[in-house]
Amino acid sequence: MNLHFTRIKQLAGCALVGAAAMLAAPAHAGVANFDAQAPMVYGHGEKFLDGSLRFTSQISSFLQSQGITDGTVGVMLDGSNAGSCGAVIDCPAGNDSTYYSGWNDSSLNAQREGGFFNLNSLRFSFFAPLAGIPDGSYGQLQLTATTDDGSVVTRSADFAGQDANGHFMFSTWKLDPDFAALHLTNLNISACLFDGNGGCQNPADWALFQAQFAIDDLDVAVPLPGSAPLLMLGLAGLAAIRRRRAQ
């Protein structure tokens, strides 16, 4: 009888540990790749859903400070159509699917309705305001994340240069483990331009409305649904065993 009771207790303990591990580990939620989005021009405050995230386009903070809330903030573009950017603006290379481009020093907010999320990686590129500009890395993509405890955490990565045909290239940014483990309630995505003195500015006084970016394939994860009930079940099982032993 004692051996049987000990075995039950061991199994309950294993169930509890397993449930706790499931609660701590995120589940893969998929990729926000914008492929379901139609070509679209976005203004300030306009929203769209993709994957598990709700995105909101935002006009630049400088324009907002001037009381301006009109104008193009972002555009959903078809990477398989080389002419989708028109004759003046140069589309980035290395992406033949739909992607979001942030224009005119703007930013893009991402939130998950009903909870937080983790960001593992994304693809990004500089979105040149004009075709034919010299090769080089002109700035950075900037991530400003708000976590579930109210902390604000930032990360930045340099834009890649051009390919052999003079088009700025998409590259993949795999976030560091510390950032990927954060429980994000809001993610703001923007660009800045190098100022030549070790800084990166948005807006840039010498190049207003030219801190532009393109993003695609945001790889996100969310908590496993049902983990909390499993954990509570394990706790209840242990409590029942302890009561039985006390009797």
Side-chain angles (χ1 to χ4, degrees):
M1 184 67 176
N2 288 338
L3 289 175
H4 180 64
F5 176 80
T6 300
R7 180 58 177 163
I8 292 175
K9 185 169 69 172
Q10 290 173 343
L11 290 174
C14 290
L16 176 61
V17 172
M22 290 178 68
L23 182 65
H28 191 265
V31 177
N33 57 22
F34 310 125
D35 288 346
Q37 307 298 322
M40 183 71 67
V41 176
Y42 295 95
H44 177 61
E46 292 192 302
K47 304 177 186 293
F48 62 91
L49 289 170
D50 201 279
S52 60
L53 301 180
R54 177 180 292 276
F55 295 91
T56 306
S57 56
Q58 291 192 321
I59 206 165
S60 74
S61 57
F62 171 75
L63 289 181
Q64 290 186 58
S65 70
Q66 304 300 307
I68 301 172
T69 57
D70 294 329
T72 299
V73 174
V75 181
M76 200 70 69
L77 292 168
D78 179 4
S80 66
N81 179 6
S84 63
C85 294
V88 178
I89 299 174
D90 185 48
C91 283
N95 191 338
D96 59 1
S97 64
T98 304
Y99 62 88
Y100 178 88
S101 58
W103 291 26
N104 301 324
D105 301 339
S106 67
S107 65
L108 184 68
N109 264 10
Q111 295 177 315
R112 174 178 168 258
E113 292 186 342
F116 58 78
F117 64 98
N118 308 96
L119 178 65
N120 299 314
S121 65
L122 56 80
R123 300 186 68 222
F124 71 108
S125 172
F126 181 55
F127 194 82
L130 294 172
I133 66 176
D135 190 11
S137 180
Y138 283 80
Q140 296 178 325
L141 189 75
Q142 297 182 313
L143 305 180
T144 303
T146 304
T147 68
D148 58 346
D149 65 1
S151 301
V152 176
V153 182
T154 61
R155 291 290 190 274
S156 59
D158 292 358
F159 290 120
Q162 298 175 353
D163 64 9
N165 296 316
H167 305 296
F168 287 94
M169 297 181 293
F170 267 90
S171 57
T172 298
W173 182 4
K174 183 175 176 58
L175 277 303
D176 60 271
D178 287 343
F179 188 91
L182 295 174
H183 296 169
L184 309 183
T185 57
N186 187 79
L187 178 68
N188 182 266
I189 305 169
S190 63
C192 63
L193 299 178
F194 293 135
D195 61 11
N197 297 310
C200 199
Q201 306 294 328
N202 181 344
D205 294 339
W206 65 96
L208 200 60
F209 308 135
Q210 295 185 35
Q212 304 189 144
F213 63 91
I215 57 167
D216 199 4
D217 297 336
L218 283 76
D219 184 7
V220 301
V222 299
L224 276 170
S227 298
L230 282 174
L231 179 59
M232 295 306 296
L233 180 61
L235 290 171
L238 282 181
I241 289 172
R242 286 172 180 166
R243 285 196 301 270
R244 179 177 176 182
R245 188 176 187 182
Q247 293 173 357

